[in-house]
Amino acid sequence: MGEFKVKFRGVRGSYPIADKDFLQYGGNTSCVEINVNGHLIILDAGTGLIGIGNELMGKYISSGVNPADRAPINATVLISHIHQDHLQGFTFFRPLHIPSSVVNVFGNVNYNESLSDELAQLLFGKSFPLDLGDIAGNLNIRDLNETEGIILRHGEAPIIKRIETEDDAKVENDDVLITCYRSYAHPQEGVLVYKISYKDKVLVYATDKESYTGGDKKLANFARNCNLLIHDAQYTTEDYMDTFAPKQGYGHSTFDMAVECKHQANAEKLVFFHYDPGYDDNKLNAIKEHYKNDESIILAYEGLEIDLI
């Protein structure tokens, strides 16, 4: 059986932070690296993406003396939504600027706009020295919806598969299957929740979504019996319910909401993710202490690695 390894590259929400009191958990924004059966999948393109790109460039350069002899970089990037903290590292992902690189980007804005057009307007042109069309690498941007899945298979470009029944979502042979659904529990236009399946292992990535009274039943069903649930946990319950500055309606969950989802989904492990940028190491360590009796609950930090196989 091939590998299924997860590495956290950026675990903050809202904006990156560089400060001596934030070194233990890190200050980069949302980005998770997945290496599964020889495929590189990257969840979101926050500032944590920059480090992945730098490491990939090091491997690329060391793979051959001449550029023509070097092993090309191939990556699949899944964008949950287009808020700044999930895109800030995209233009600084160095493999984009290498002609041999192949970077396939998937996401969805809404039914009236395309992801490609939105990225071109938000990240390039007036806000960056290059236009989207000036990128040297093979950059393929495609809109994805919850009736479609992505199959990653060795030696082939990503295959789009129609997902209409549970049988359609079954994983075959050595394929890696990516499925998603849109949650509207995050302003302005919702967020894509992703599932990555390989063999009998399943990872669910549910960032930037608020829970509901009684829990989020759709997410619980989508994540049912998954091995790893990465769940938004931007606020403590106290901050979420604060009398003077409540966070209800901001589109983010509390740590307790994430735990409730874990139980309802019967997830094997839960990783808290997307912390408020005001939560320093001391605060997060206090939260860690609160949940220390449950070994299946983990606080994400930059560099955290989890092997699902």
Side-chain angles (χ1 to χ4, degrees), residues 75-269:
T76 299
V77 181
L78 306 176
I79 303 296
S80 63
H81 63 309
I82 58 170
H83 286 176
Q84 291 184 51
D85 49 333
H86 296 259
L87 297 177
Q88 288 160 331
F90 191 82
T91 51
F92 301 99
F93 184 55
R94 291 175 63 195
L96 285 178
H97 308 288
I98 303 299
S100 63
S101 295
V102 178
V103 180
N104 296 298
V105 181
F106 295 91
N108 190 284
V109 183
N110 61 34
Y111 295 107
N112 300 316
E113 300 166 326
S114 72
L115 180 62
S116 180
D117 288 345
E118 287 297 294
L119 293 182
Q121 293 179 39
L122 290 170
L123 299 179
F124 296 90
K126 292 182 179 180
S127 60
F128 193 71
L130 302 176
D131 287 324
L132 181 60
D134 295 329
I135 294 299
N138 298 285
L139 177 60
N140 308 304
I141 303 173
R142 189 190 189 283
D143 290 274
L144 187 72
N145 62 58
E146 56 191 24
T147 65
E148 298 173 317
I150 306 166
I151 296 174
L152 300 182
R153 187 176 292 164
H154 290 298
E156 300 183 31
I159 302 165
I160 304 301
K161 178 182 180 180
R162 189 80 175 172
I163 304 292
E164 296 179 338
T165 67
E166 289 187 8
D167 287 340
D168 294 333
K170 290 183 178 178
V171 185
E172 300 178 3
N173 304 317
D174 283 336
D175 290 348
V176 176
L177 177 65
I178 300 166
T179 54
C180 69
Y181 82 88
R182 178 178 289 279
S183 169
Y184 287 97
H186 188 73
Q188 299 279 342
E189 297 167 343
V191 60
L192 290 185
V193 176
Y194 287 103
K195 180 189 293 183
I196 301 173
S197 305
Y198 172 63
K199 298 293 187 180
D200 61 344
K201 302 297 182 181
V202 175
L203 176 152
V204 172
Y205 178 73
T207 188
D208 289 66
K209 49 112 21 243
E210 196 163 351
S211 193
Y212 307 103
T213 301
D216 187 332
K217 304 302 183 185
K218 187 171 184 178
L219 174 56
N221 288 331
F222 185 73
R224 183 75 59 205
N225 298 323
C226 68
N227 301 95
L228 184 64
L229 172 61
I230 302 171
H231 196 292
D232 187 284
Q234 177 134 346
Y235 306 119
T236 63
T237 300
E238 292 74 19
D239 287 343
Y240 182 81
M241 299 295 291
D242 185 87
T243 302
F244 300 102
K247 304 302 189 297
Q248 287 177 308
Y250 281 27
H252 294 288
S253 289
T254 66
F255 293 85
D256 290 335
M257 289 173 179
V259 173
E260 181 178 41
C261 183
K262 173 191 183 299
H263 293 322
Q264 291 186 350
N266 193 37
E268 183 179 339
K269 289 184 179 180

Side-chain angles (χ1 to χ4, degrees), residues 256-307:
D256 290 335
M257 289 173 179
V259 173
E260 181 178 41
C261 183
K262 173 191 183 299
H263 293 322
Q264 291 186 350
N266 193 37
E268 183 179 339
K269 289 184 179 180
L270 166 67
V271 176
F272 293 136
F273 184 74
H274 202 273
Y275 310 130
D276 186 278
Y279 289 11
D280 63 12
D281 292 338
N282 287 335
K283 179 145 188 170
L284 290 174
N285 280 332
I287 293 168
K288 181 180 179 180
E289 179 72 14
H290 179 74
Y291 292 101
K292 69 178 182 179
N293 292 329
D294 190 338
E295 295 182 353
S296 67
I297 296 176
I298 304 167
L299 270 72
Y301 58 85
E302 287 182 29
L304 171 66
E305 297 185 48
I306 298 174
D307 194 344

